[in-house]
């Protein structure tokens, strides 16, 4: 297939993002602001840079919000169509349902992307490998320090996947399923329609057992599953710092990204890849590192915000200290509070002055 070939893709965005609550109470995870734009904007721009021109969104949770955000895709140089599951069908069922909107032929490759992954790998090279070797499916694989939290994927010397082992306490390899697949269109069509199917537990193991060629495309590029608050903050900061290149980043890479109307005091310390949202105010003596400040948020004098997410219109009052914290939209953290270690404050909540402390001093 020529280098200039254009591809179709399916984007899985049906999950509820429960691990990211309260951020996902009203917004699907793939639409959360990440380095200044909806998370998916980075994936879509990357996919387009590798030759994807038509994408089918496989939606379920708050499905209408995706069309509101991206429309027909023309503003991104893409054609986007939407297929919604009336009831959740699992990863395989979602892929099969979305495939009804594909226009490519049975022998063409189809890229399948997960809506919660940041990756720096070369999608077009993955497709090239798939096509050249005539594979039924080709999985992007990456190595992680703790593979027990992911699907474990051993391969032989030729890159052929020999098993697909879902989360196990004793992984046989640290090479895991990185969540980006290339399928032969005809293989997708063999997934039962309208049924709950897991591509990880049923489709891939079934292909391997049947003797079909399932390949692993392994590389060591940037990769991150942004499903938890800590990972979400890290992904946003890495994009701002330029650790992962994104054509969708709405400004130059650097220690922080300042969006329209934001005001940062010259006596504040802001860095570590922080996003300072539109209309945000960071006042004198405040310290903000590696965090996401939602539009209209306020960080008052002397407050400290580290590796945290501050929701739209939320306020962090004088002297408050937040580390690894999620603050919902419109919440108010009163002066002198000290929050840490994964604390989550729901939208609209007000914490009175010095309500929560981890240390004994005030």
């Amino acid at each position: 297939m020529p280098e200039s070939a254009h591809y179709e893709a399916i984007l899985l965005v049906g999950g509820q993002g429960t691990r990211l609550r309260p951020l996902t109470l009203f917004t699907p995870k793939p639409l959360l602001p990440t380095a200044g734009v909806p998370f998916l904007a980075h994936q879509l721009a990357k996919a387009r840079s590798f030759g994807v021109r038509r994408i089918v969104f496989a939606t379920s949770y708050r499905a209408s919000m995706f069309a509101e955000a991206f429309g027909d895709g023309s503003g991104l140089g893409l054609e986007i169509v939407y297929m919604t599951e009336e009831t959740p069908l699992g990863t395989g069922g979602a892929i099969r349902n979305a495939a009804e909107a594909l226009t490519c032929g049975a022998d063409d490759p189809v890229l399948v992307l997960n809506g919660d992954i940041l990756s720096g790998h070369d999608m077009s090279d993955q497709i090239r490998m798939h096509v050249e070797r005539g594979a039924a499916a080709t999985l992007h694989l990456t190595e992680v320090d703790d593979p027990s939290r992911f699907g474990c994927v051993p391969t032989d010397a030729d890159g052929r996947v020999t098993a697909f082992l879902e989360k196990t306490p004793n992984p046989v390899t640290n090479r895991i399923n990185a969540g980006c697949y290339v399928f032969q269109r005809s293989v997708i069509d063999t997934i039962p329609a309208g049924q709950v199917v897991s591509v990880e537990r049923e489709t891939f193991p079934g292909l391997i057992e049947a003797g079909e060629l399932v390949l692993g495309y392994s590389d060591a590029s940037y990769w991150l599953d942004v499903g938890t608050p800590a990972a979400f903050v890290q992904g946003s900061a890495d994009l701002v710092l330029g650790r992962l290149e994104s054509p969708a980043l709405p400004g130059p890479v650097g220690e922080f990204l300042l969006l329209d109307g934001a005001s940062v005091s010259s006596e504040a310390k802001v860095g570590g890849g922080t996003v300072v949202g539109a209309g945000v105010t960071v006042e004198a003596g405040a310290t903000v590192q590696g965090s996401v400040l939602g539009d209209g948020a306020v960080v008052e004098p002397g407050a400290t915000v580290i590796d945290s997410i501050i929701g739209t219109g939320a306020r962090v009052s004088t002297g408050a200290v937040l580390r690894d914290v999620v603050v919902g939209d419109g919440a108010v953290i009163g002066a002198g509070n000290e929050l840490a270690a994964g604390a989550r404050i729901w939208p609209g909540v007000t914490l009175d002055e010095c309500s929560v402390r981890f240390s004994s001093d005030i």
Side-chain angles (χ1 to χ4, degrees):
M1 188 167 288
E3 289 294 321
S4 59
H6 290 168
Y7 308 110
E8 284 190 286
I10 292 171
L11 182 56
L12 301 176
V13 290
Q16 295 191 18
T18 53
R19 292 181 297 168
L20 279 171
R21 287 178 181 165
L23 301 176
T24 52
L25 289 174
F26 309 109
T27 303
K29 176 172 57 177
L31 294 181
L32 291 174
T34 310
V37 294
F39 177 81
L40 282 187
H42 300 289
Q43 276 197 329
L44 296 174
K46 175 181 167 61
R48 191 188 187 285
S49 74
F50 286 121
V52 173
R53 290 296 180 270
R54 190 170 187 274
I55 298 184
V56 181
F57 277 42
T59 64
S60 179
Y61 177 65
R62 297 190 177 273
S64 64
M65 295 184 70
F66 292 95
E68 292 168 8
F70 298 110
D72 64 4
S74 57
L76 301 170
L78 295 165
E79 179 186 352
I80 297 176
V81 295
Y82 303 88
M83 293 291 286
T84 301
E85 304 160 51
E86 298 308 319
T87 58
L89 295 172
T91 48
I95 291 168
R96 178 66 176 84
N97 186 62
E100 296 294 328
L102 294 173
T103 62
C104 61
D107 295 330
D108 289 329
V110 177
L111 191 68
V112 176
L113 305 168
N114 274 279
D116 51 7
I117 300 295
L118 281 176
S119 174
H121 85 285
D122 187 331
M123 294 177 184
S124 59
D125 196 48
Q126 182 182 354
I127 296 172
R128 178 197 57 75
M129 175 183 176
H130 172 88
V131 171
E132 287 182 357
R133 295 192 57 183
T138 301
L139 289 63
H140 176 215
L141 307 180
T142 190
E143 295 183 356
V144 296
D145 293 335
D146 179 14
S148 65
R149 299 187 298 116
F150 303 94
C152 181
V153 187
T155 57
D156 65 17
D158 293 325
R160 187 176 192 131
V161 175
T162 56
F164 197 98
L165 310 172
E166 267 298 85
K167 299 172 185 176
T168 170
N170 299 301
V172 298
T173 174
N174 67 340
R175 190 170 290 165
I176 63 144
N177 167 26
C180 176
Y181 318 128
V182 183
F183 277 99
Q184 204 76 348
R185 166 66 193 274
S186 59
V187 172
I188 294 177
D189 292 340
T190 67
I191 299 173
Q195 297 182 27
V196 177
V197 180
S198 167
V199 74
E200 299 88 357
R201 292 181 174 86
E202 298 172 69
T203 306
F204 291 138
L207 289 170
I208 294 166
E209 187 176 345
E212 298 285 352
L213 179 58
V214 178
L215 292 176
Y217 176 83
S218 302
D219 83 333
S221 61
Y222 182 101
W223 183 86
L224 184 67
D225 176 346
V226 297
T228 66
F232 177 80
V233 169
Q234 180 189 337
S236 180
D238 287 346
L239 286 160
V240 173
L241 292 167
R243 292 171 180 163
L244 174 64
E245 183 179 348
S246 172
L249 189 70
V253 299
E255 282 295 309
F256 59 88
L257 175 65
L258 202 65
L259 300 182
D260 291 346
S263 172
V264 177
S265 168
S266 60
E267 297 177 32
K269 296 179 180 178
V270 179
T274 290
V275 176
V276 185
V280 164
T281 300
V282 181
E283 299 185 356
T287 298
V288 184
Q289 288 290 317
S291 296
V292 177
L293 306 181
D295 294 351
V298 176
V299 182
E300 292 187 357
T304 298
V305 179
I306 307 293
D307 297 337
S308 296
I309 306 166
I310 309 301
T312 300
R315 177 178 292 269
V316 182
S317 301
T318 300
V321 177
L322 281 64
R323 297 180 186 274
D324 305 308
V325 172
V326 178
V327 176
D329 295 350
V332 177
I333 309 302
N337 280 289
E338 185 180 15
L339 305 176
R344 303 182 190 215
I345 307 301
W346 249 238
V349 168
T350 295
L351 282 185
D352 292 335
E353 181 176 347
C354 296
S355 294
V356 180
R357 298 288 297 174
F358 279 78
S359 56
S360 58
D361 59 318
I362 296 178

